[in-house]
């Protein structure tokens, strides 16, 4: 199996946790049913602790298919992988880890190191996985997300390798991208950004030039009107003087 491929699931309904886990683990390991089973088990354990209280609600899954961090934690424990919250501080020490899960409300995003490079495996991206160009950018990106009230969960443990394609069922949301494709997408995106910036600078420059031209035109008209007014006053004084002499 080539190490040049990256597994990626795009969004299907509101199954953020399903896509996040599978993208992180690089395989079709979990389904909505599998995570729902884990959520039910956790709920039953809590009910048993509270003597089967009928007032207890299942906080691990809702009607929209949103799962709790406890479900994700339990799912990763099946791979001997631990997960813990980074807290409010991010520094270069996180680079010793191969994966991260980003969370804001019910949205879950996986970032994983593959072949010594980090990739943002957000299932909402239109073109698939996004190459994170440097470790410096990753640290700065995660620190910014914390300021925006995201939770950053750090993955501790050995993440599995990509499973051969033959082991996956045929599902439309599953895609495979070569690393070369992703780099090409990134290069194309960067070029588009540069072009947009150049266009904005040109538009801004053109607008300023037009504004300067308009200002010069108005000033010229003002000068001409003042000169004409002075000329009319001079003519009027000249005529008044001639009438007095007569």
């Amino acid at each position: 199996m080539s190490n040049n491929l990256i597994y990626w699931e795009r969004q299907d309904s509101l199954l953020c946790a399903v896509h996040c886990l599978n993208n992180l683990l690089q395989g079709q390991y979990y389904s909505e049913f599998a995570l729902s089973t884990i959520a039910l088990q956790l709920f039953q354990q809590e009910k048993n602790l509270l003597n089967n209280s009928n007032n207890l609600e299942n906080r691990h899954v809702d009607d929209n298919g949103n799962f709790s961090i406890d479900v994700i934690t339990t799912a990763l424990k099946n791979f001997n992988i631990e997960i813990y919250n980074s807290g409010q501080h991010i520094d270069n020490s996180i680079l010793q880890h191969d994966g991260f899960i980003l969370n804001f409300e019910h949205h879950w995003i996986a970032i994983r190191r593959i072949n010594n490079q980090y990739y943002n495996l957000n299932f909402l991206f239109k073109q698939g996985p996004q190459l994170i160009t440097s470790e410096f950018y990753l640290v700065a990106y995660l620190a910014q997300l914390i300021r925006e009230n995201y939770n950053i969960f750090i993955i501790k443990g050995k993440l599995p390798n990509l499973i051969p394609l033959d082991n996956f069922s045929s599902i439309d949301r599953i895609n495979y991208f070569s690393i070369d494709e992703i780099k090409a997408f990134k290069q194309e995106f960067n070029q588009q950004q540069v072009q947009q910036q150049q266009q904005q600078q040109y538009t801004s420059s053109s607008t300023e030039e037009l504004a300067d031209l308009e200002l010069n035109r108005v000033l010229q008209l003002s000068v001409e009107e003042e000169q004409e007014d002075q000329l009319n006053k001079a003519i009027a004084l000249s005529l008044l003087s001639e009438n007095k002499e007569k």
Side-chain angles (χ1 to χ4, degrees), residues 58-114:
N58 190 344
R59 63 184 179 85
H60 299 294
V61 61
D62 62 22
D63 294 336
N64 294 320
N66 296 309
F67 295 95
S68 71
I69 182 61
D70 296 316
V71 172
I72 292 175
T73 300
T74 302
L76 289 173
K77 281 183 179 178
N78 293 333
F79 290 84
N80 296 317
I81 293 171
E82 298 179 2
I83 178 173
Y84 61 94
N85 198 316
S86 69
Q88 296 300 307
H89 181 67
I90 291 288
D91 57 31
N92 289 340
S93 64
I94 66 168
L95 298 175
Q96 63 185 296
H97 302 286
D98 290 330
F100 309 92
I101 290 179
L102 323 179
N103 165 245
F104 183 76
E105 296 180 347
H106 295 303
H107 191 47
W108 303 91
I109 303 169
I111 289 179
R112 175 172 170 169
R113 178 156 44 198
I114 301 172

Side-chain angles (χ1 to χ4, degrees), residues 52-243:
N52 291 317
S53 172
N54 293 324
N55 296 324
L56 188 65
E57 293 185 2
N58 190 344
R59 63 184 179 85
H60 299 294
V61 61
D62 62 22
D63 294 336
N64 294 320
N66 296 309
F67 295 95
S68 71
I69 182 61
D70 296 316
V71 172
I72 292 175
T73 300
T74 302
L76 289 173
K77 281 183 179 178
N78 293 333
F79 290 84
N80 296 317
I81 293 171
E82 298 179 2
I83 178 173
Y84 61 94
N85 198 316
S86 69
Q88 296 300 307
H89 181 67
I90 291 288
D91 57 31
N92 289 340
S93 64
I94 66 168
L95 298 175
Q96 63 185 296
H97 302 286
D98 290 330
F100 309 92
I101 290 179
L102 323 179
N103 165 245
F104 183 76
E105 296 180 347
H106 295 303
H107 191 47
W108 303 91
I109 303 169
I111 289 179
R112 175 172 170 169
R113 178 156 44 198
I114 301 172
N115 289 349
N116 297 319
Q117 288 188 302
Y118 285 103
Y119 293 87
N120 188 336
L121 303 173
N122 190 342
F123 52 84
L124 293 177
F125 289 151
K126 292 182 179 179
Q127 290 187 316
Q130 193 172 89
L131 172 66
I132 296 176
T133 52
S134 70
E135 293 180 342
F136 171 81
Y137 176 84
L138 173 65
V139 174
Y141 175 62
L142 295 181
Q144 177 60 35
L145 290 182
I146 285 180
R147 289 192 288 270
E148 295 176 6
N149 297 319
Y150 273 74
N151 291 306
I152 310 297
F153 295 95
I154 297 175
I155 303 301
K156 186 176 181 180
K158 181 175 176 55
L159 290 165
N161 295 324
L162 177 68
I163 294 179
L165 280 65
D166 294 341
N167 291 6
F168 293 111
S169 60
S170 178
I171 299 179
D172 290 340
R173 71 169 184 261
I174 293 176
N175 299 271
Y176 293 88
F177 292 86
S178 72
I179 291 177
D180 291 338
E181 276 184 296
I182 297 171
K183 289 181 178 179
F185 289 151
K186 184 66 175 179
Q187 185 176 9
E188 181 182 353
F189 174 79
N190 290 340
Q191 290 174 347
Q192 290 175 351
Q193 291 291 99
V194 170
Q195 290 173 355
Q196 288 177 0
Q197 291 174 358
Q198 290 175 341
Q199 181 62 35
Q200 289 174 353
Q201 291 173 356
Y202 173 78
T203 302
S204 175
S205 176
S206 299
T207 302
E208 291 176 359
E209 289 176 1
L210 288 173
D212 289 341
L213 289 173
E214 179 63 16
L215 178 60
N216 290 334
R217 188 183 70 81
V218 171
L219 290 174
Q220 183 63 32
L221 286 175
S222 177
V223 170
E224 291 175 356
E225 288 175 356
E226 185 176 354
Q227 290 175 343
E228 185 177 358
D229 184 55
Q230 291 176 351
L231 178 61
N232 289 336
K233 287 180 180 179
I235 293 172
L237 288 173
S238 177
L239 292 175
L240 180 61
S241 176
E242 289 178 0
N243 289 336

